[in-house]
Amino acid sequence: MDFEGQIEAIRAIFRCDRQPAESLARVLMPQRLFAKDILARQGEPSYNCWLVIEGALRVETYGLEGQRQQVAQHGPGEFFGAYPTASVHRAEISALFDCQLLCAEAGKIAELVAGDVQIAAGMARLLARQLDRALDRMVTRITYSAAGRVYAELVALADGRDRIVPSPRVTMLALGANTTRETASRAIATLIRRGIISRDDEQLIIHAPRMLAELIC
């Protein structure tokens, strides 16, 4: 991504004028990840924060006995990492798909937020939106059935599109839905049998998005 592309992306995410976007672009450096790359490990010092431009990342915690649980997922337009000061990574962060990120030191972003009202307003919107999404995930885990959570995970990964590329692994769907691999596998098999989706090694296609949405319960 060139400098002009960074400015346009930042303006869209922060809803700000060009000058504040240029200030952010001077401290936000492009970073590319490929699917399955690990960005940060649980327990490591955390000095940076990121904006997601393309792709998706998952956040997973590891218990004392090695059990994994997905606690969040970050997609285009989302902000994550250390802010406003350095901290410790509470979970492992890895690339779900190929990703284009913008990375900066937490302190530098905090200085810009403190000094520019448009950047501050943009950051407030970002964090408020992500809090709302986090609450949605909590409600989903509490109120939906295991299969319903798998279907909700598919809808979230599709993000309004009719296909998911590359095709998500069943294990990943199970982690995102906080259920077993066997349950997720049965849920996907039901969708395929009913013609709601089809999948191969390269992509998952949603043929009937309304029917898929109606199964989320």
Side-chain angles (χ1 to χ4, degrees):
M1 175 179 291
D2 59 21
F3 190 70
E4 195 63 32
Q6 289 177 235
I7 291 173
E8 290 306 309
I10 292 167
R11 289 189 68 181
I13 293 171
F14 279 82
R15 303 180 196 173
C16 63
D17 295 333
R18 184 179 178 89
Q19 186 173 347
E22 288 181 349
S23 298
L24 284 165
R26 292 189 189 99
V27 301
L28 285 161
M29 299 295 106
Q31 183 175 358
R32 191 80 184 175
L33 292 179
F34 296 100
K36 300 183 182 180
D37 283 353
I38 295 176
L39 179 65
R41 297 187 185 278
Q42 185 172 334
E44 289 181 341
S46 176
Y47 303 104
N48 297 328
C49 53
W50 292 268
L51 281 174
V52 185
I53 305 302
E54 296 177 1
L57 301 102
R58 62 184 171 208
V59 183
E60 296 176 311
T61 59
Y62 289 80
L64 294 176
E65 298 179 359
Q67 67 274 24
R68 292 190 300 169
Q69 182 170 345
Q70 182 169 309
V71 295
Q73 185 172 303
H74 299 300
E78 292 198 34
F79 173 88
F80 69 97
Y83 179 81
T85 59
S87 61
V88 174
H89 287 291
R90 300 176 181 86
E92 181 176 282
I93 305 171
S94 60
L96 186 57
F97 309 130
D98 292 355
C99 297
Q100 177 67 60
L101 311 175
L102 294 177
C103 174
E105 292 181 22
K108 291 182 178 180
I109 292 292
E111 288 177 6
L112 291 175
V113 168
D116 189 288
V117 66
Q118 288 193 28
I119 296 175
M123 181 63 77
R125 281 192 295 268
L126 278 176
L127 297 179
R129 184 176 64 186
Q130 288 177 214
L131 174 59
D132 191 53
R133 288 178 177 175
L135 291 173
D136 280 345
R137 292 188 185 106
M138 289 175 62
V139 170
T140 296
R141 290 191 175 184
I142 293 170
T143 62
Y144 291 174
S145 66
R149 294 196 301 272
V150 174
Y151 303 146
E153 190 70 13
L154 281 177
V155 170
L157 288 172
D159 193 25
R161 299 180 294 269
D162 65 355
R163 64 194 63 218
I164 304 171
V165 181
S167 182
R169 292 180 296 125
V170 173
T171 301
M172 180 273 293
L173 290 172
L175 286 170
N178 193 27
T179 189
T180 65
R181 188 186 186 284
E182 291 72 20
T183 297
S185 181
R186 287 195 297 270
I188 295 300
T190 297
L191 296 180
I192 293 173
R193 186 174 63 252
R194 296 179 62 180
I196 296 173
I197 69 168
S198 61
R199 68 192 295 261
D200 54 33
D201 291 339
E202 296 182 357
Q203 63 182 350
L204 183 150
I205 301 174
I206 301 174
H207 301 288
R210 180 184 294 181
M211 291 179 66
L212 176 59
E214 289 174 350
L215 290 172
I216 300 174
C217 60

